[in-house]
Amino acid sequence: MNRTTLTAKWPEGLSDPSGSRHAKPRAKGRTMIIDKGIGVHAFEDLLSTSGQYIDIVKFGFGTSPLYPPEVLRTKIETASKYGVAVIPGGTLLEAAVRLDVVPGFFRQVLAFGFTGIEVSDGTINMSRTLRSDLIRDARSLGLTAYTEYGKKLSGSRIDIRDFAETAEQDWACGAELVTVEARESGKGVGLFDERGEHREGELAMILEAVPNMDRVLWEAPLKEQQVYLIRELGPNVNLGNIPVNDVLTLETMRRGLRSDTFGLHREPYIDYMI
């Protein structure tokens, strides 16, 4: 075929064999990546390549105050150009609570142009009243509030009844999504055991207690965890703590463009060999 006859459009359906993915802004099937400190140029490259598949960028842990201010501002402005929400890690807000500097935290979040915050208590104990107040304060300032359930201590499990009650109260206060903690390692916390494998039967019990999965985001940094959740909850499950280099890989699995989920959401397997 002559190169001049080629077009920039792939055959219809080939980019999304699942037939289920939607363009941004998405109400479900959102992808949150964790940025642990990549530079401005790498960040720009990431978004120019994969920005349409990223919904939220979390600047992990308490990294935000460690950036040179101009670098932090540039990264946030770049994300905004691609329609990507940007939040500091929940650990930073926990530090602000511990140091009693929450008003200053909110002031800087707004000054730098963050679009939301993460309210978590993975490393501190936080009362229900304070958690609710932080969610409402964020909303009153025009910020999107994402919350997180679970402790970061290795071996921490999901108390299903407590999770259901916490999620309902968070949503009632205005939280956009409730994230299930799994840390950046994906091992030994929440839904996953010390090997990073899912705890048998636990997801089914969670689904009985919290049927509205469109407003739950699962931290799942490892490929096997992403495959498991896509197989169990469908391609439009909300997934977080995705490493920056794995965005396109995850999107191929959501769409059935990788062997792990090939044909999962379409017809049963057909042998196409002639």
Side-chain angles (χ1 to χ4, degrees):
M1 181 182 294
N2 191 306
R3 185 178 296 273
T4 59
T5 66
L6 297 177
T7 68
K9 187 175 182 180
W10 292 97
E12 185 176 355
L14 193 57
S15 64
D16 183 13
S18 77
S20 64
R21 295 295 283 156
H22 301 284
K24 296 192 299 185
R26 283 180 279 268
K28 56 184 179 179
R30 285 181 271 193
T31 295
M32 174 195 284
I33 67 168
I34 181 169
D35 177 351
K36 297 187 286 186
I38 63 174
V40 169
H41 297 303
F43 193 73
E44 291 173 342
D45 288 344
L46 169 69
L47 290 175
S48 66
T49 303
S50 309
Q52 61 185 310
Y53 312 120
I54 301 171
D55 301 277
I56 308 162
V57 171
K58 177 169 66 177
F59 292 166
F61 336 116
T63 55
S64 296
L66 304 186
Y67 284 102
E70 64 276 10
V71 171
L72 181 60
R73 188 170 288 108
T74 297
K75 292 181 75 171
I76 293 172
E77 290 173 352
T78 300
S80 179
K81 292 177 184 177
Y82 286 89
V84 176
V86 191
I87 63 175
T91 303
L92 186 62
L93 178 54
E94 293 182 44
V97 169
R98 186 176 68 84
L99 297 171
D100 196 21
V101 292
V102 171
F105 166 85
F106 276 117
R107 185 168 57 250
Q108 288 304 100
V109 163
L110 293 170
F112 277 107
F114 283 101
T115 59
I117 64 164
E118 183 177 66
V119 179
S120 65
D121 57 1
T123 53
I124 65 171
N125 293 319
M126 184 182 295
S127 70
R128 179 66 249 183
T129 298
L130 178 56
R131 186 179 178 98
S132 298
D133 286 346
L134 290 170
I135 297 169
R136 294 192 185 103
D137 288 347
R139 298 285 293 140
S140 70
L141 294 170
L143 298 166
T144 302
Y146 304 91
T147 64
E148 185 175 72
Y149 178 86
K151 297 296 184 182
K152 296 184 182 298
L153 184 67
S154 181
S156 298
R157 300 287 295 268
I158 300 171
D159 182 320
I160 295 173
R161 178 177 294 181
D162 183 58
F163 172 53
E165 292 176 354
T166 299
E168 288 296 339
Q169 292 175 16
D170 286 356
W171 292 327
C173 292
E176 177 74 9
L177 292 172
V178 177
T179 300
V180 180
E181 175 72 71
R183 304 207 68 178
E184 62 164 320
S185 67
K187 296 181 179 180
V189 174
L191 189 64
F192 306 112
D193 65 19
E194 290 70 19
R195 298 182 301 277
E197 298 174 0
H198 65 274
R199 302 183 193 276
E200 199 65 41
E202 195 141 319
L203 181 60
M205 291 188 291
I206 293 171
L207 292 176
E208 287 185 11
V210 187
N212 186 5
M213 285 295 105
D214 288 350
R215 301 189 69 184
V216 173
L217 183 144
W218 303 87
E219 289 187 348
L222 304 180
K223 190 199 82 168
E224 293 77 11
Q225 298 168 353
Q226 297 157 20
V227 171
Y228 167 69
L229 288 166
I230 290 170
R231 285 182 171 275
E232 293 297 316
L233 300 177
N236 287 313
V237 58
N238 300 307
L239 298 174
N241 274 15
I242 305 304
V244 295
N245 291 329
D246 292 349
V247 176
L248 281 177
T249 300
L250 170 58
E251 193 64 29
T252 61
M253 293 192 295
R254 288 188 185 277
R255 296 173 181 235
L257 287 167
R258 183 168 171 147
S259 62
D260 307 85
T261 57
F262 190 88
L264 184 62
H265 311 293
R266 282 294 195 183
E267 306 298 329
Y269 174 76
I270 300 173
D271 188 348
Y272 291 99
M273 295 299 290
I274 297 176

